[in-house]
Amino acid sequence: MYTLFTDTDTDITPEIAKKYGYHLISMPYSVNGKTVYPYEDFETYDYHSFYDMLRSGVLPTTSAISAEKYKNYFEPVLAAGSDILYVHFSAAMTMTFDVMRKAVKELLEKYPERHIYTVDTKGITIISLNIVEEIGDMYLAGKTPEDILEWAKTEVDKFAIYFFADDLKFFRRSGRVSGLAATMGTLIGIRPIIYMNTEGKMVSIGKEKGRAKAIDRLIEYVDELGDNVKDHRVIVGHTDALEIAEEIAEMLREKYGEDLRIQIIPTNPTAGSHCGPNGVGVTFHAVHR
């Protein structure tokens, strides 16, 4: 017996979590000194209001959660006699997993008969969600944690994400994207194309002038790298840019068919604090990232 966990930085919603039986770990953001825990401090994510707040000049900050909070999430499940499989966003992007490992060590000393397994999606937002849902399907099909860990060894690196943002000051401030000249890009309308590499880091790998060319580049990556695209979900994410996301989704349906399993998901506020508004991206099953 084991219980699934994931975190809100994977773009999961309570509805999706309920479908698979995931327990949610809330990754916080802070605005004007107030810390907010998604889906704990609010039930419904009003992404339009959140990104309008960013457009007005507010720059939220993010932080790791405490070891005690990790224990509060995990211990009731362990005490009830269940193991845990935690599918999480990229460990390369944050120090929070150092804190988590400390909490896990203490919990396993207290519950030595239990196991806590982890799968690092080596991504964040929709790429992580794609993997979270794939693992959710496996869980519902009766796969064991060992089955899933074996699958993850090769399959995690076969989910790709490519995206761009209109206003690069958020990425510049966070410093989480390598190879990104954020100031120049914002001034002259250049949109760097960013992806998650196999280390779980965001890297700028190209640039396009203008939104239309940036959208075309995303579609090209799906064409060039896509592997059994229709056998897996395609997810289009956006930071309050629903019309652009719908345009990309329609372009993908035209290429792959109306029966393409495609979802459109707003980026969670914690990750969105670093991305800023008006960004879009696509994740799909690929030959490589």
Side-chain angles (χ1 to χ4, degrees):
M1 175 179 168
Y2 69 102
T3 300
L4 292 177
F5 274 79
T6 191
D7 53 71
T8 55
D9 270 358
T10 68
D11 277 349
I12 197 166
T13 64
E15 292 77 20
I16 296 173
K18 183 178 180 180
K19 174 182 176 181
Y20 296 109
Y22 276 102
H23 290 218
L24 292 186
I25 294 176
S26 183
M27 294 295 171
Y29 62 94
S30 297
V31 178
N32 298 324
K34 180 182 178 181
T35 300
V36 181
Y37 288 88
Y39 302 120
E40 291 182 4
D41 293 333
F42 58 76
E43 293 182 5
T44 302
Y45 173 34
D46 183 354
Y47 69 84
H48 180 66
S49 294
F50 175 79
Y51 287 107
D52 265 356
M53 178 180 68
L54 270 58
R55 291 184 182 100
S56 74
V58 174
L59 295 176
T61 59
T62 60
S63 59
I65 63 177
S66 67
E68 198 60 35
K69 196 163 181 68
Y70 277 114
K71 290 179 188 178
N72 290 341
Y73 286 123
F74 292 150
E75 185 162 16
V77 174
L78 298 174
S82 176
D83 293 336
I84 287 170
L85 174 62
Y86 176 21
V87 188
H88 60 74
F89 78 101
S90 174
M93 298 183 69
T94 176
M95 298 296 291
T96 195
F97 295 109
D98 292 335
V99 177
M100 183 198 74
R101 282 186 280 271
K102 177 183 177 182
V104 166
K105 182 176 182 293
E106 293 178 7
L107 285 169
L108 293 180
E109 289 173 353
K110 186 173 180 180
Y111 301 95
E113 72 284 6
R114 300 271 59 86
H115 297 87
I116 299 178
Y117 307 94
T118 61
V119 173
D120 186 345
T121 63
K122 295 196 276 189
I124 196 168
T125 70
I126 54 172
I127 184 174
S128 296
L129 179 62
N130 214 341
I131 295 167
V132 162
E133 292 198 75
E134 290 270 339
I135 289 175
D137 287 336
M138 296 175 71
Y139 174 79
L140 294 179
K143 299 297 184 181
T144 67
E146 291 78 12
D147 293 331
I148 292 170
L149 292 175
E150 188 63 27
W151 174 90
K153 286 179 183 178
T154 55
E155 285 299 307
V156 162
D157 287 337
K158 291 183 179 180
F159 287 86
I161 181 173
Y162 290 85
F163 62 98
F164 68 85
D166 267 10
D167 189 342
L168 303 179
K169 68 183 178 185
F170 298 91
F171 282 124
R172 184 177 73 248
R173 180 181 61 105
S174 71
R176 298 196 181 198
V177 181
S178 63
L180 182 61
T183 303
M184 182 176 292
T186 299
L187 289 175
I188 64 176
I190 296 296
R191 289 168 174 80
I193 307 299
I194 300 165
Y195 87 119
M196 300 290 307
N197 67 14
T198 54
E199 297 177 6
K201 297 178 180 179
M202 290 189 290
V203 180
S204 175
I205 60 163
K207 57 187 178 182
E208 295 293 341
K209 188 165 186 178
R211 182 182 290 166
K213 289 186 177 179
I215 291 171
D216 288 342
R217 175 62 71 89
L218 297 189
I219 301 298
E220 287 173 9
Y221 277 120
V222 181
D223 286 342
E224 293 169 6
L225 296 177
D227 178 49
N228 296 322
V229 172
K230 290 194 69 172
D231 292 338
H232 302 269
R233 292 172 187 81
V234 175
I235 306 177
V236 181
H238 68 96
T239 55
D240 198 24
L242 180 58
E243 289 186 5
I244 304 172
E246 288 176 336
E247 178 183 349
I248 291 172
E250 185 55 34
M251 292 170 72
L252 290 168
R253 289 190 190 98
E254 288 176 1
K255 281 185 172 291
Y256 294 98
E258 288 298 320
D259 59 341
L260 182 66
R261 287 194 294 164
I262 195 161
Q263 298 167 238
I264 297 176
I265 299 288
T267 302
N268 71 82
T270 310
S273 298
H274 298 285
C275 300
N278 307 325
V280 291
V282 59
T283 177
F284 54 97
H285 193 260
V287 291
H288 61 75
R289 292 194 173 192

